Amino acid sequence: MKTLVVGGAGYIGSVVTRLLLAEGHQVTVLDDLSTGHADTVPAEARLVTGDIAEATKVLAEGGFDAVLHFAAKSLVGESVVNPSLYWRTNVIGSRALLDAITEHHIPRLVFSSTAAVYGEPDQVPITEDFPTRPTNAYGATKLAVDMMITNECTATDLAAVSLRYFNVAGAAYGVGERHTTETHLIPIALDAVAGKRDKLTIYGDDWSTPDGTPLRDYVHVADLARAHVLALTAAEPGEHLICNLGNGNGFSVLEVMKTVEKVTGLPMPHTVGPRRMGDPARLVASAARAQQRLGWLPEHDLTTMVADAWAFSHPDLAGTGE
Ligand code: UFG
């Protein structure tokens, strides 16, 4: 297929770009490089540097079979203190992209949605028909885009799939997380054992979970990428298919820390701080629908995610642990 990957210079978008190319698809990446990196876009893909509003110009070239939409602000904490940035970037940007998709009759869309749309669930694992009650602006804006896509699919023949990611981790094809402002647990924990930061701060140990720290469902970026390729052909025209992507297992912050210590063979300097605004206690996916509709089963466990992230972020130290 001829694909446009919007936000393809970011962590997840650039891994998906590599898998698309490996499977014989043609890829144009559109990215404003506000958080992405031009050097993560492989030479076999065409890079158009520009805002999401430029999508209409690119799609006007003709012949595109699908758009994969990754471009978004995606930090929960930042979204709580600066909601305007999230509503403007995520919702208005996506609206412009959807209009371009409709105008140029693009038949397929795959959208990066998030587990954050569910907020604090009454129970886990979370299925796609759980109530959506986001506890932060990030989740609210992604939910708004999901709703816009549903409306668009009703009004047109667009076949769309929203993939609700749980906690993405690991590295693939030599691409891992390198955010200018890192907020994610695994990269921060790896920097703490490597001595690149003083310590890891646990955001609260008084949550209503077995060990008092929040539970998250970690999914390897390589597994996640495969789901996108499967999603390209999963929806019928006029259908908006929504699938959770997770392993179905919850790991606490303390369990992740132990895994990091085991993989690296290094002790974790840490302290306990206050809870972070907008964090739910537990987010664990049911991946049953992704299995049924996409034929997707995650293959990588938490140890592999940590080991791959470690080899990517600290190649000089990797190989010291188990
Ligand atoms: N945490 C710490 N200390 C840190 C960083 C994180 O204790 O220094 C904790 C958080 O409180 C949370 C867990 O580790 O309980 C995971 O935090 P991350 O920041 O790695 O990930 P989030 O769960 O906040 O968010 C991620 C994605 C979101 C997505 C969400 C859905 O970044 O886009 O998963 O599960 F919405």
PDB file of all heavy atoms in Angstrom, residues 74-76 114-117 138 165-168 183-186 188 200-204 207 214-218 253 276 279-280 283, ligand 1:
ATOM      1  N   SER A  74       1.657  13.837  24.002  1.00  0.00           N
ATOM      2  CA  SER A  74       1.278  12.567  24.643  1.00  0.00           C
ATOM      3  C   SER A  74       1.779  12.399  26.075  1.00  0.00           C
ATOM      4  O   SER A  74       1.975  11.271  26.513  1.00  0.00           O
ATOM      5  CB  SER A  74       1.777  11.405  23.784  1.00  0.00           C
ATOM      6  OG  SER A  74       3.187  11.447  23.708  1.00  0.00           O
ATOM      7  N   LEU A  75       1.976  13.505  26.791  1.00  0.00           N
ATOM      8  CA  LEU A  75       2.421  13.361  28.179  1.00  0.00           C
ATOM      9  C   LEU A  75       1.281  13.694  29.144  1.00  0.00           C
ATOM     10  O   LEU A  75       0.764  14.813  29.143  1.00  0.00           O
ATOM     11  CB  LEU A  75       3.626  14.266  28.457  1.00  0.00           C
ATOM     12  CG  LEU A  75       4.845  14.015  27.570  1.00  0.00           C
ATOM     13  CD1 LEU A  75       5.956  15.002  27.890  1.00  0.00           C
ATOM     14  CD2 LEU A  75       5.333  12.580  27.731  1.00  0.00           C
ATOM     15  N   VAL A  76       0.918  12.696  29.946  1.00  0.00           N
ATOM     16  CA  VAL A  76      -0.222  12.838  30.848  1.00  0.00           C
ATOM     17  C   VAL A  76      -0.034  14.054  31.773  1.00  0.00           C
ATOM     18  O   VAL A  76      -0.914  14.919  31.874  1.00  0.00           O
ATOM     19  CB  VAL A  76      -0.406  11.544  31.670  1.00  0.00           C
ATOM     20  CG1 VAL A  76      -1.391  11.754  32.807  1.00  0.00           C
ATOM     21  CG2 VAL A  76      -0.869  10.408  30.761  1.00  0.00           C
ATOM     22  N   THR A 114      -5.466   5.709  23.043  1.00  0.00           N
ATOM     23  CA  THR A 114      -4.738   5.417  24.282  1.00  0.00           C
ATOM     24  C   THR A 114      -5.640   4.837  25.355  1.00  0.00           C
ATOM     25  O   THR A 114      -6.845   5.133  25.396  1.00  0.00           O
ATOM     26  CB  THR A 114      -4.107   6.713  24.841  1.00  0.00           C
ATOM     27  OG1 THR A 114      -3.550   6.445  26.129  1.00  0.00           O
ATOM     28  CG2 THR A 114      -5.130   7.822  25.008  1.00  0.00           C
ATOM     29  N   ALA A 115      -5.037   4.073  26.249  1.00  0.00           N
ATOM     30  CA  ALA A 115      -5.737   3.566  27.424  1.00  0.00           C
ATOM     31  C   ALA A 115      -6.196   4.693  28.336  1.00  0.00           C
ATOM     32  O   ALA A 115      -7.090   4.500  29.168  1.00  0.00           O
ATOM     33  CB  ALA A 115      -4.813   2.639  28.201  1.00  0.00           C
ATOM     34  N   ALA A 116      -5.582   5.873  28.172  1.00  0.00           N
ATOM     35  CA  ALA A 116      -5.948   7.003  29.037  1.00  0.00           C
ATOM     36  C   ALA A 116      -7.389   7.456  28.830  1.00  0.00           C
ATOM     37  O   ALA A 116      -7.921   8.214  29.640  1.00  0.00           O
ATOM     38  CB  ALA A 116      -4.987   8.167  28.802  1.00  0.00           C
ATOM     39  N   VAL A 117      -8.057   6.996  27.747  1.00  0.00           N
ATOM     40  CA  VAL A 117      -9.473   7.372  27.553  1.00  0.00           C
ATOM     41  C   VAL A 117     -10.371   6.732  28.617  1.00  0.00           C
ATOM     42  O   VAL A 117     -11.467   7.220  28.879  1.00  0.00           O
ATOM     43  CB  VAL A 117     -10.020   6.980  26.151  1.00  0.00           C
ATOM     44  CG1 VAL A 117      -9.234   7.667  25.047  1.00  0.00           C
ATOM     45  CG2 VAL A 117     -10.051   5.480  25.949  1.00  0.00           C
ATOM     46  N   TYR A 138      -4.933  14.728  28.204  1.00  0.00           N
ATOM     47  CA  TYR A 138      -4.402  13.860  27.153  1.00  0.00           C
ATOM     48  C   TYR A 138      -5.463  12.828  26.744  1.00  0.00           C
ATOM     49  O   TYR A 138      -5.819  12.703  25.565  1.00  0.00           O
ATOM     50  CB  TYR A 138      -3.117  13.180  27.643  1.00  0.00           C
ATOM     51  CG  TYR A 138      -2.644  12.084  26.731  1.00  0.00           C
ATOM     52  CD1 TYR A 138      -2.307  12.365  25.403  1.00  0.00           C
ATOM     53  CD2 TYR A 138      -2.546  10.768  27.177  1.00  0.00           C
ATOM     54  CE1 TYR A 138      -1.892  11.355  24.552  1.00  0.00           C
ATOM     55  CE2 TYR A 138      -2.121   9.768  26.337  1.00  0.00           C
ATOM     56  CZ  TYR A 138      -1.803  10.056  25.022  1.00  0.00           C
ATOM     57  OH  TYR A 138      -1.406   9.051  24.186  1.00  0.00           O
ATOM     58  N   TYR A 165      -3.406   2.169  22.923  1.00  0.00           N
ATOM     59  CA  TYR A 165      -2.165   1.650  23.499  1.00  0.00           C
ATOM     60  C   TYR A 165      -2.223   1.711  25.013  1.00  0.00           C
ATOM     61  O   TYR A 165      -2.634   2.723  25.576  1.00  0.00           O
ATOM     62  CB  TYR A 165      -0.949   2.500  23.112  1.00  0.00           C
ATOM     63  CG  TYR A 165      -0.729   2.845  21.671  1.00  0.00           C
ATOM     64  CD1 TYR A 165       0.124   3.890  21.364  1.00  0.00           C
ATOM     65  CD2 TYR A 165      -1.331   2.154  20.636  1.00  0.00           C
ATOM     66  CE1 TYR A 165       0.380   4.254  20.052  1.00  0.00           C
ATOM     67  CE2 TYR A 165      -1.080   2.512  19.318  1.00  0.00           C
ATOM     68  CZ  TYR A 165      -0.232   3.564  19.028  1.00  0.00           C
ATOM     69  OH  TYR A 165       0.020   3.932  17.735  1.00  0.00           O
ATOM     70  N   PHE A 166      -1.695   0.692  25.633  1.00  0.00           N
ATOM     71  CA  PHE A 166      -1.423   0.757  27.057  1.00  0.00           C
ATOM     72  C   PHE A 166       0.023   1.268  27.191  1.00  0.00           C
ATOM     73  O   PHE A 166       0.374   2.236  26.525  1.00  0.00           O
ATOM     74  CB  PHE A 166      -1.792  -0.576  27.722  1.00  0.00           C
ATOM     75  CG  PHE A 166      -3.300  -0.675  27.893  1.00  0.00           C
ATOM     76  CD1 PHE A 166      -4.156  -0.630  26.781  1.00  0.00           C
ATOM     77  CD2 PHE A 166      -3.878  -0.696  29.139  1.00  0.00           C
ATOM     78  CE1 PHE A 166      -5.544  -0.615  26.922  1.00  0.00           C
ATOM     79  CE2 PHE A 166      -5.271  -0.691  29.297  1.00  0.00           C
ATOM     80  CZ  PHE A 166      -6.100  -0.649  28.198  1.00  0.00           C
ATOM     81  N   ASN A 167       0.896   0.697  27.995  1.00  0.00           N
ATOM     82  CA  ASN A 167       2.203   1.349  28.183  1.00  0.00           C
ATOM     83  C   ASN A 167       3.255   0.757  27.250  1.00  0.00           C
ATOM     84  O   ASN A 167       3.723  -0.357  27.460  1.00  0.00           O
ATOM     85  CB  ASN A 167       2.629   1.224  29.640  1.00  0.00           C
ATOM     86  CG  ASN A 167       1.813   2.135  30.535  1.00  0.00           C
ATOM     87  OD1 ASN A 167       0.585   2.031  30.568  1.00  0.00           O
ATOM     88  ND2 ASN A 167       2.470   3.047  31.207  1.00  0.00           N
ATOM     89  N   VAL A 168       3.616   1.538  26.265  1.00  0.00           N
ATOM     90  CA  VAL A 168       4.535   1.054  25.232  1.00  0.00           C
ATOM     91  C   VAL A 168       5.976   1.161  25.739  1.00  0.00           C
ATOM     92  O   VAL A 168       6.351   2.166  26.340  1.00  0.00           O
ATOM     93  CB  VAL A 168       4.365   1.886  23.945  1.00  0.00           C
ATOM     94  CG1 VAL A 168       5.167   1.272  22.812  1.00  0.00           C
ATOM     95  CG2 VAL A 168       2.887   1.985  23.582  1.00  0.00           C
ATOM     96  N   THR A 183       9.462  11.207  30.704  1.00  0.00           N
ATOM     97  CA  THR A 183       8.585  11.041  31.867  1.00  0.00           C
ATOM     98  C   THR A 183       8.249   9.573  32.103  1.00  0.00           C
ATOM     99  O   THR A 183       7.628   9.239  33.094  1.00  0.00           O
ATOM    100  CB  THR A 183       7.244  11.791  31.660  1.00  0.00           C
ATOM    101  OG1 THR A 183       6.572  11.207  30.531  1.00  0.00           O
ATOM    102  CG2 THR A 183       7.457  13.272  31.419  1.00  0.00           C
ATOM    103  N   HIS A 184       8.617   8.698  31.178  1.00  0.00           N
ATOM    104  CA  HIS A 184       8.169   7.305  31.258  1.00  0.00           C
ATOM    105  C   HIS A 184       9.040   6.478  32.192  1.00  0.00           C
ATOM    106  O   HIS A 184      10.255   6.667  32.290  1.00  0.00           O
ATOM    107  CB  HIS A 184       8.131   6.687  29.854  1.00  0.00           C
ATOM    108  CG  HIS A 184       7.027   7.244  29.023  1.00  0.00           C
ATOM    109  ND1 HIS A 184       7.114   7.437  27.662  1.00  0.00           N
ATOM    110  CD2 HIS A 184       5.793   7.681  29.370  1.00  0.00           C
ATOM    111  CE1 HIS A 184       5.982   7.953  27.220  1.00  0.00           C
ATOM    112  NE2 HIS A 184       5.165   8.114  28.234  1.00  0.00           N
ATOM    113  N   LEU A 185       8.367   5.544  32.859  1.00  0.00           N
ATOM    114  CA  LEU A 185       9.007   4.805  33.951  1.00  0.00           C
ATOM    115  C   LEU A 185      10.262   4.035  33.510  1.00  0.00           C
ATOM    116  O   LEU A 185      11.308   4.142  34.161  1.00  0.00           O
ATOM    117  CB  LEU A 185       7.969   3.835  34.554  1.00  0.00           C
ATOM    118  CG  LEU A 185       8.482   2.929  35.659  1.00  0.00           C
ATOM    119  CD1 LEU A 185       8.984   3.744  36.843  1.00  0.00           C
ATOM    120  CD2 LEU A 185       7.387   1.960  36.102  1.00  0.00           C
ATOM    121  N   ILE A 186      10.162   3.250  32.446  1.00  0.00           N
ATOM    122  CA  ILE A 186      11.290   2.357  32.116  1.00  0.00           C
ATOM    123  C   ILE A 186      12.545   3.142  31.711  1.00  0.00           C
ATOM    124  O   ILE A 186      13.622   2.896  32.279  1.00  0.00           O
ATOM    125  CB  ILE A 186      10.858   1.281  31.087  1.00  0.00           C
ATOM    126  CG1 ILE A 186       9.871   0.317  31.782  1.00  0.00           C
ATOM    127  CG2 ILE A 186      12.067   0.534  30.513  1.00  0.00           C
ATOM    128  CD1 ILE A 186       9.265  -0.749  30.895  1.00  0.00           C
ATOM    129  N   ILE A 188      13.387   6.132  32.557  1.00  0.00           N
ATOM    130  CA  ILE A 188      13.883   6.828  33.756  1.00  0.00           C
ATOM    131  C   ILE A 188      14.573   5.836  34.686  1.00  0.00           C
ATOM    132  O   ILE A 188      15.660   6.099  35.217  1.00  0.00           O
ATOM    133  CB  ILE A 188      12.720   7.552  34.483  1.00  0.00           C
ATOM    134  CG1 ILE A 188      12.291   8.773  33.651  1.00  0.00           C
ATOM    135  CG2 ILE A 188      13.121   7.983  35.893  1.00  0.00           C
ATOM    136  CD1 ILE A 188      11.097   9.524  34.195  1.00  0.00           C
ATOM    137  N   LEU A 200      15.297   7.284  40.938  1.00  0.00           N
ATOM    138  CA  LEU A 200      13.916   7.211  40.454  1.00  0.00           C
ATOM    139  C   LEU A 200      13.009   7.649  41.597  1.00  0.00           C
ATOM    140  O   LEU A 200      13.181   7.174  42.730  1.00  0.00           O
ATOM    141  CB  LEU A 200      13.586   5.772  40.053  1.00  0.00           C
ATOM    142  CG  LEU A 200      12.110   5.509  39.763  1.00  0.00           C
ATOM    143  CD1 LEU A 200      11.761   5.956  38.352  1.00  0.00           C
ATOM    144  CD2 LEU A 200      11.774   4.046  39.924  1.00  0.00           C
ATOM    145  N   THR A 201      12.048   8.521  41.294  1.00  0.00           N
ATOM    146  CA  THR A 201      11.042   8.868  42.305  1.00  0.00           C
ATOM    147  C   THR A 201       9.777   8.071  42.020  1.00  0.00           C
ATOM    148  O   THR A 201       9.230   8.149  40.910  1.00  0.00           O
ATOM    149  CB  THR A 201      10.721  10.385  42.263  1.00  0.00           C
ATOM    150  OG1 THR A 201      11.939  11.091  42.506  1.00  0.00           O
ATOM    151  CG2 THR A 201       9.704  10.763  43.322  1.00  0.00           C
ATOM    152  N   ILE A 202       9.360   7.279  42.989  1.00  0.00           N
ATOM    153  CA  ILE A 202       8.104   6.524  42.853  1.00  0.00           C
ATOM    154  C   ILE A 202       6.963   7.487  43.165  1.00  0.00           C
ATOM    155  O   ILE A 202       6.935   8.077  44.260  1.00  0.00           O
ATOM    156  CB  ILE A 202       8.084   5.327  43.839  1.00  0.00           C
ATOM    157  CG1 ILE A 202       9.255   4.383  43.554  1.00  0.00           C
ATOM    158  CG2 ILE A 202       6.747   4.606  43.798  1.00  0.00           C
ATOM    159  CD1 ILE A 202       9.478   3.330  44.640  1.00  0.00           C
ATOM    160  N   TYR A 203       6.041   7.639  42.195  1.00  0.00           N
ATOM    161  CA  TYR A 203       4.951   8.599  42.398  1.00  0.00           C
ATOM    162  C   TYR A 203       3.847   7.994  43.263  1.00  0.00           C
ATOM    163  O   TYR A 203       2.793   7.617  42.780  1.00  0.00           O
ATOM    164  CB  TYR A 203       4.397   9.055  41.050  1.00  0.00           C
ATOM    165  CG  TYR A 203       5.386   9.819  40.202  1.00  0.00           C
ATOM    166  CD1 TYR A 203       5.428   9.637  38.820  1.00  0.00           C
ATOM    167  CD2 TYR A 203       6.284  10.716  40.769  1.00  0.00           C
ATOM    168  CE1 TYR A 203       6.325  10.336  38.032  1.00  0.00           C
ATOM    169  CE2 TYR A 203       7.193  11.422  39.994  1.00  0.00           C
ATOM    170  CZ  TYR A 203       7.203  11.230  38.624  1.00  0.00           C
ATOM    171  OH  TYR A 203       8.096  11.920  37.848  1.00  0.00           O
ATOM    172  N   GLY A 204       4.122   7.897  44.534  1.00  0.00           N
ATOM    173  CA  GLY A 204       3.142   7.427  45.505  1.00  0.00           C
ATOM    174  C   GLY A 204       3.226   5.931  45.727  1.00  0.00           C
ATOM    175  O   GLY A 204       3.372   5.154  44.773  1.00  0.00           O
ATOM    176  N   TRP A 207      -1.305   3.650  46.858  1.00  0.00           N
ATOM    177  CA  TRP A 207      -2.423   3.388  45.950  1.00  0.00           C
ATOM    178  C   TRP A 207      -3.147   2.107  46.385  1.00  0.00           C
ATOM    179  O   TRP A 207      -2.559   1.272  47.084  1.00  0.00           O
ATOM    180  CB  TRP A 207      -1.908   3.215  44.525  1.00  0.00           C
ATOM    181  CG  TRP A 207      -1.226   4.421  43.949  1.00  0.00           C
ATOM    182  CD1 TRP A 207       0.080   4.782  44.129  1.00  0.00           C
ATOM    183  CD2 TRP A 207      -1.803   5.417  43.106  1.00  0.00           C
ATOM    184  NE1 TRP A 207       0.353   5.939  43.445  1.00  0.00           N
ATOM    185  CE2 TRP A 207      -0.786   6.353  42.802  1.00  0.00           C
ATOM    186  CE3 TRP A 207      -3.075   5.606  42.560  1.00  0.00           C
ATOM    187  CZ2 TRP A 207      -1.014   7.465  41.980  1.00  0.00           C
ATOM    188  CZ3 TRP A 207      -3.287   6.704  41.744  1.00  0.00           C
ATOM    189  CH2 TRP A 207      -2.270   7.623  41.470  1.00  0.00           C
ATOM    190  N   PRO A 214       1.166   1.897  41.391  1.00  0.00           N
ATOM    191  CA  PRO A 214       0.202   1.686  40.302  1.00  0.00           C
ATOM    192  C   PRO A 214       0.574   0.514  39.383  1.00  0.00           C
ATOM    193  O   PRO A 214       1.748   0.217  39.164  1.00  0.00           O
ATOM    194  CB  PRO A 214       0.247   3.002  39.524  1.00  0.00           C
ATOM    195  CG  PRO A 214       0.778   4.009  40.481  1.00  0.00           C
ATOM    196  CD  PRO A 214       1.733   3.263  41.364  1.00  0.00           C
ATOM    197  N   LEU A 215      -0.473  -0.100  38.846  1.00  0.00           N
ATOM    198  CA  LEU A 215      -0.304  -1.226  37.910  1.00  0.00           C
ATOM    199  C   LEU A 215      -0.497  -0.725  36.485  1.00  0.00           C
ATOM    200  O   LEU A 215      -1.455  -0.002  36.193  1.00  0.00           O
ATOM    201  CB  LEU A 215      -1.364  -2.294  38.170  1.00  0.00           C
ATOM    202  CG  LEU A 215      -1.306  -3.049  39.484  1.00  0.00           C
ATOM    203  CD1 LEU A 215      -2.500  -4.000  39.567  1.00  0.00           C
ATOM    204  CD2 LEU A 215      -0.011  -3.848  39.584  1.00  0.00           C
ATOM    205  N   ARG A 216       0.405  -1.145  35.605  1.00  0.00           N
ATOM    206  CA  ARG A 216       0.301  -0.792  34.189  1.00  0.00           C
ATOM    207  C   ARG A 216       0.544  -2.037  33.338  1.00  0.00           C
ATOM    208  O   ARG A 216       1.221  -2.981  33.767  1.00  0.00           O
ATOM    209  CB  ARG A 216       1.352   0.260  33.804  1.00  0.00           C
ATOM    210  CG  ARG A 216       1.136   1.628  34.417  1.00  0.00           C
ATOM    211  CD  ARG A 216      -0.076   2.320  33.794  1.00  0.00           C
ATOM    212  NE  ARG A 216      -0.252   3.666  34.329  1.00  0.00           N
ATOM    213  CZ  ARG A 216      -0.905   3.950  35.461  1.00  0.00           C
ATOM    214  NH1 ARG A 216      -1.453   3.002  36.169  1.00  0.00           N
ATOM    215  NH2 ARG A 216      -1.030   5.215  35.845  1.00  0.00           N
ATOM    216  N   ASP A 217       0.042  -1.991  32.123  1.00  0.00           N
ATOM    217  CA  ASP A 217       0.150  -3.104  31.180  1.00  0.00           C
ATOM    218  C   ASP A 217       1.177  -2.697  30.121  1.00  0.00           C
ATOM    219  O   ASP A 217       0.902  -1.837  29.282  1.00  0.00           O
ATOM    220  CB  ASP A 217      -1.232  -3.331  30.557  1.00  0.00           C
ATOM    221  CG  ASP A 217      -1.277  -4.526  29.629  1.00  0.00           C
ATOM    222  OD1 ASP A 217      -0.218  -4.921  29.109  1.00  0.00           O
ATOM    223  OD2 ASP A 217      -2.385  -5.041  29.416  1.00  0.00           O
ATOM    224  N   TYR A 218       2.359  -3.296  30.178  1.00  0.00           N
ATOM    225  CA  TYR A 218       3.455  -2.896  29.284  1.00  0.00           C
ATOM    226  C   TYR A 218       3.435  -3.750  28.025  1.00  0.00           C
ATOM    227  O   TYR A 218       3.297  -4.975  28.098  1.00  0.00           O
ATOM    228  CB  TYR A 218       4.801  -3.004  30.026  1.00  0.00           C
ATOM    229  CG  TYR A 218       4.867  -2.011  31.172  1.00  0.00           C
ATOM    230  CD1 TYR A 218       4.370  -2.345  32.435  1.00  0.00           C
ATOM    231  CD2 TYR A 218       5.336  -0.719  30.970  1.00  0.00           C
ATOM    232  CE1 TYR A 218       4.373  -1.420  33.467  1.00  0.00           C
ATOM    233  CE2 TYR A 218       5.339   0.217  31.999  1.00  0.00           C
ATOM    234  CZ  TYR A 218       4.861  -0.143  33.248  1.00  0.00           C
ATOM    235  OH  TYR A 218       4.845   0.772  34.265  1.00  0.00           O
ATOM    236  N   VAL A 253       4.847  -0.507  39.729  1.00  0.00           N
ATOM    237  CA  VAL A 253       6.100   0.248  39.595  1.00  0.00           C
ATOM    238  C   VAL A 253       7.233  -0.534  40.286  1.00  0.00           C
ATOM    239  O   VAL A 253       8.343  -0.651  39.742  1.00  0.00           O
ATOM    240  CB  VAL A 253       5.931   1.668  40.192  1.00  0.00           C
ATOM    241  CG1 VAL A 253       7.259   2.409  40.230  1.00  0.00           C
ATOM    242  CG2 VAL A 253       4.899   2.462  39.387  1.00  0.00           C
ATOM    243  N   ARG A 276       1.451  11.551  41.096  1.00  0.00           N
ATOM    244  CA  ARG A 276       1.473  12.462  39.955  1.00  0.00           C
ATOM    245  C   ARG A 276       0.025  12.732  39.532  1.00  0.00           C
ATOM    246  O   ARG A 276      -0.778  11.798  39.420  1.00  0.00           O
ATOM    247  CB  ARG A 276       2.253  11.800  38.805  1.00  0.00           C
ATOM    248  CG  ARG A 276       2.415  12.665  37.585  1.00  0.00           C
ATOM    249  CD  ARG A 276       3.371  12.049  36.578  1.00  0.00           C
ATOM    250  NE  ARG A 276       2.921  10.768  36.056  1.00  0.00           N
ATOM    251  CZ  ARG A 276       3.586  10.042  35.162  1.00  0.00           C
ATOM    252  NH1 ARG A 276       4.751  10.462  34.713  1.00  0.00           N
ATOM    253  NH2 ARG A 276       3.104   8.898  34.734  1.00  0.00           N
ATOM    254  N   ASP A 279      -2.754  10.455  37.213  1.00  0.00           N
ATOM    255  CA  ASP A 279      -2.424   9.018  37.151  1.00  0.00           C
ATOM    256  C   ASP A 279      -3.564   8.163  37.705  1.00  0.00           C
ATOM    257  O   ASP A 279      -3.990   8.373  38.840  1.00  0.00           O
ATOM    258  CB  ASP A 279      -1.174   8.724  37.992  1.00  0.00           C
ATOM    259  CG  ASP A 279       0.118   8.871  37.220  1.00  0.00           C
ATOM    260  OD1 ASP A 279       0.058   9.109  36.002  1.00  0.00           O
ATOM    261  OD2 ASP A 279       1.186   8.729  37.842  1.00  0.00           O
ATOM    262  N   PRO A 280      -4.048   7.161  36.957  1.00  0.00           N
ATOM    263  CA  PRO A 280      -4.957   6.184  37.558  1.00  0.00           C
ATOM    264  C   PRO A 280      -4.180   5.084  38.294  1.00  0.00           C
ATOM    265  O   PRO A 280      -2.975   4.911  38.064  1.00  0.00           O
ATOM    266  CB  PRO A 280      -5.712   5.599  36.360  1.00  0.00           C
ATOM    267  CG  PRO A 280      -4.995   6.040  35.142  1.00  0.00           C
ATOM    268  CD  PRO A 280      -3.877   6.959  35.520  1.00  0.00           C
ATOM    269  N   LEU A 283      -4.248   0.191  35.093  1.00  0.00           N
ATOM    270  CA  LEU A 283      -4.672   0.149  33.688  1.00  0.00           C
ATOM    271  C   LEU A 283      -4.139  -1.151  33.096  1.00  0.00           C
ATOM    272  O   LEU A 283      -2.932  -1.291  32.883  1.00  0.00           O
ATOM    273  CB  LEU A 283      -4.095   1.337  32.911  1.00  0.00           C
ATOM    274  CG  LEU A 283      -4.753   2.706  33.092  1.00  0.00           C
ATOM    275  CD1 LEU A 283      -3.958   3.785  32.378  1.00  0.00           C
ATOM    276  CD2 LEU A 283      -6.202   2.697  32.600  1.00  0.00           C
TER     277      LEU A 283
HETATM  278  N1  UFG B   1       6.172   6.477  37.459  1.00  0.00           N
HETATM  279  C1  UFG B   1       6.904   6.698  38.606  1.00  0.00           C
HETATM  280  N2  UFG B   1       8.024   7.445  38.528  1.00  0.00           N
HETATM  281  C2  UFG B   1       8.480   7.984  37.354  1.00  0.00           C
HETATM  282  C3  UFG B   1       7.732   7.748  36.164  1.00  0.00           C
HETATM  283  C4  UFG B   1       6.581   6.988  36.255  1.00  0.00           C
HETATM  284  O1  UFG B   1       6.532   6.241  39.694  1.00  0.00           O
HETATM  285  O2  UFG B   1       9.514   8.681  37.363  1.00  0.00           O
HETATM  286  C5  UFG B   1       4.963   5.648  37.517  1.00  0.00           C
HETATM  287  C6  UFG B   1       3.697   6.417  37.135  1.00  0.00           C
HETATM  288  O3  UFG B   1       3.123   7.037  38.262  1.00  0.00           O
HETATM  289  C7  UFG B   1       2.832   5.296  36.571  1.00  0.00           C
HETATM  290  C8  UFG B   1       3.830   4.293  35.995  1.00  0.00           C
HETATM  291  O4  UFG B   1       5.083   4.617  36.577  1.00  0.00           O
HETATM  292  O5  UFG B   1       2.146   4.671  37.618  1.00  0.00           O
HETATM  293  C9  UFG B   1       3.957   4.405  34.482  1.00  0.00           C
HETATM  294  O6  UFG B   1       4.173   5.771  34.160  1.00  0.00           O
HETATM  295  P1  UFG B   1       4.586   6.249  32.696  1.00  0.00           P
HETATM  296  O7  UFG B   1       4.831   7.701  32.765  1.00  0.00           O
HETATM  297  O8  UFG B   1       5.685   5.374  32.181  1.00  0.00           O
HETATM  298  O9  UFG B   1       3.311   5.916  31.827  1.00  0.00           O
HETATM  299  P2  UFG B   1       1.795   6.368  32.048  1.00  0.00           P
HETATM  300  O10 UFG B   1       1.080   5.186  32.597  1.00  0.00           O
HETATM  301  O11 UFG B   1       1.647   7.629  32.787  1.00  0.00           O
HETATM  302  O12 UFG B   1       1.354   6.740  30.570  1.00  0.00           O
HETATM  303  C10 UFG B   1       1.509   5.869  29.503  1.00  0.00           C
HETATM  304  C11 UFG B   1       1.565   6.683  28.220  1.00  0.00           C
HETATM  305  C12 UFG B   1       0.266   7.361  28.006  1.00  0.00           C
HETATM  306  C13 UFG B   1      -0.883   6.412  28.103  1.00  0.00           C
HETATM  307  C14 UFG B   1      -0.810   5.604  29.363  1.00  0.00           C
HETATM  308  C15 UFG B   1      -1.881   4.594  29.344  1.00  0.00           C
HETATM  309  O13 UFG B   1       2.589   7.656  28.290  1.00  0.00           O
HETATM  310  O14 UFG B   1       0.295   7.922  26.723  1.00  0.00           O
HETATM  311  O15 UFG B   1       0.442   4.992  29.448  1.00  0.00           O
HETATM  312  O16 UFG B   1      -1.597   3.523  30.168  1.00  0.00           O
HETATM  313  F1  UFG B   1      -2.030   7.083  28.121  1.00  0.00           F
END
